[in-house]
């Protein structure tokens, strides 16, 4: 609904103030020159057309935002129905579930509210991997683990990534024998190549020192683990410190990739690599309201 205020004289320009509540409250000022001799009906027709165009533009933005929220909810439900991260990495996701998720990814990408995601404050933060495409490096690495080791021996519980100050740190959480936990960490540098495109250069890989959950260790393995712990304590201090800080592998100059951000808002991040394979991530930490101001920009 719009409220129109103003005055019309025979020779003076018309100045109007338009308030609309279709979306967020806003006020638009219009100035229309009036030529002497116009009929009042002609003036009313021109003004009505200008007011309708303004109101319809606000309604279009509102409708697009409702479409976006619906598409986002639809994708999250499809990911849940597909079995989540565990079903994906263990190969239990069906072809029907895959095509359904990919269809909803495409629908959400069409209403991306962030035109320049590579420089948006919303890009930074801690994200959780929810979906990999069939050719994603993350999914291939997970498949290697599950194809070579049964789930009772090795299990990839989750993968997440921290993005901050043009750097990224991806962490994969691995559990061995349901009692030994460890993490594989990949550090990389991000370079902005455009409003949508980024280059990722890997810097270092690290295998963190494993943590033993004593109450979960099978009885038949407790003796072997005890002997291993005793042996580690007898190693020189330099070696013990190295093992405690994790095994680090330099990766500078060995691997890089390009990818584009096809969707970004305060909760969901979708990226595609050079082959078009999508990855869907959901935010683990909510950004501070003072540091992130989301701007919705749609083409009418």
């Amino acid at each position: 609904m719009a409220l129109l205020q103003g005055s019309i004289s025979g020779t003076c320009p018309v100045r109007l103030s338009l308030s609309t509540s279709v979306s967020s409250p806003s006020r638009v000022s219009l100035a229309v020159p009036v030529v002497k001799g116009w009929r009042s009906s002609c003036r009313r027709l021109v003004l009505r057309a200008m007011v309708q165009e303004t109101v319809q533009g606000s309604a279009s933005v509102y409708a697009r935002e409702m479409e976006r929220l619906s598409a986002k909810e639809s994708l999250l439900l499809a990911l849940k129905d597909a079995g989540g991260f565990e079903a994906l990495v263990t190969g239990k996701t069906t072809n029907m579930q895959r095509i359904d998720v990919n269809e909803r990814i495409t629908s959400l990408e069409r209403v991306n509210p962030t035109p320049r995601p590579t420089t948006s404050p919303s890009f930074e933060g801690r994200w959780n991997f929810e979906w990999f495409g069939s050719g994603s490096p993350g999914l291939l690495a997970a498949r290697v683990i599950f194809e070579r080791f049964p789930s009772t021996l090795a299990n990839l519980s989750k993968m997440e990534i921290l993005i901050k100050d043009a750097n990224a740190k991806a962490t994969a959480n691995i559990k061995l024998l349901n009692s030994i936990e460890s993490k594989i960490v990949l550090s990389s540098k991000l370079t902005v190549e455009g409003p949508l495109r980024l280059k990722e250069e890997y810097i270092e890989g690290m295998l963190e020192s494993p943590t033993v959950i004593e109450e979960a260790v099978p009885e038949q393995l407790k003796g072997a683990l005890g002997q291993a712990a005793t042996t580690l304590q007898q190693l020189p201090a330099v070696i013990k410190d190295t093992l405690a800080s994790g095994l680090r592998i330099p990766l500078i100059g060995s691997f890089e990739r390009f990818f584009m951000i096809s969707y970004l808002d305060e909760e969901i991040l979708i990226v595609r690599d050079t082959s078009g394979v999508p990855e869907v991530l959901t935010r683990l930490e909510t950004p501070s309201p003072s540091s992130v101001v989301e701007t919705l920009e749609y083409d009418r």
Side-chain angles (χ1 to χ4, degrees), residues 91-138:
K92 296 179 181 178
T93 306
T94 66
N95 289 334
M96 183 63 69
Q97 290 170 332
R98 286 182 176 276
I99 194 64
D100 184 49
V101 170
N102 285 325
E103 181 180 0
R104 295 168 196 266
I105 289 175
T106 303
S107 297
L108 185 57
E109 288 172 327
R110 288 193 306 105
V111 287
N112 176 33
T114 311
R116 298 172 182 82
T118 55
T119 55
S120 170
S122 297
F123 181 47
E124 294 193 345
R126 189 179 298 276
W127 300 86
N128 187 54
F129 284 89
E130 300 284 354
W131 183 262
F132 305 97
S134 57
S136 168

Side-chain angles (χ1 to χ4, degrees), residues 199-272:
K199 180 172 74 172
E200 184 177 22
E201 300 173 275
Y202 287 86
I203 299 174
E204 182 185 69
M206 183 180 69
L207 176 62
E208 290 190 358
S209 180
T211 301
V212 178
I213 308 175
E214 294 184 2
E215 59 271 18
V217 176
E219 289 294 332
Q220 59 270 30
L221 294 179
K222 287 185 176 180
L225 287 175
Q227 293 178 0
T230 302
T231 302
L232 289 175
Q233 292 298 324
Q234 296 173 352
L235 292 174
V238 176
I239 298 179
K240 286 196 295 182
D241 291 342
T242 301
L243 294 176
S245 60
L247 177 62
R248 298 177 181 273
I249 304 174
L251 298 175
I252 296 178
S254 62
F255 183 72
E256 67 178 30
R257 69 164 184 159
F258 291 89
F259 65 92
M260 63 171 286
I261 301 176
S262 57
Y263 182 89
L264 173 66
D265 67 14
E266 72 282 358
E267 295 177 328
I268 292 181
L269 169 65
I270 302 176
V271 303
R272 290 182 180 268

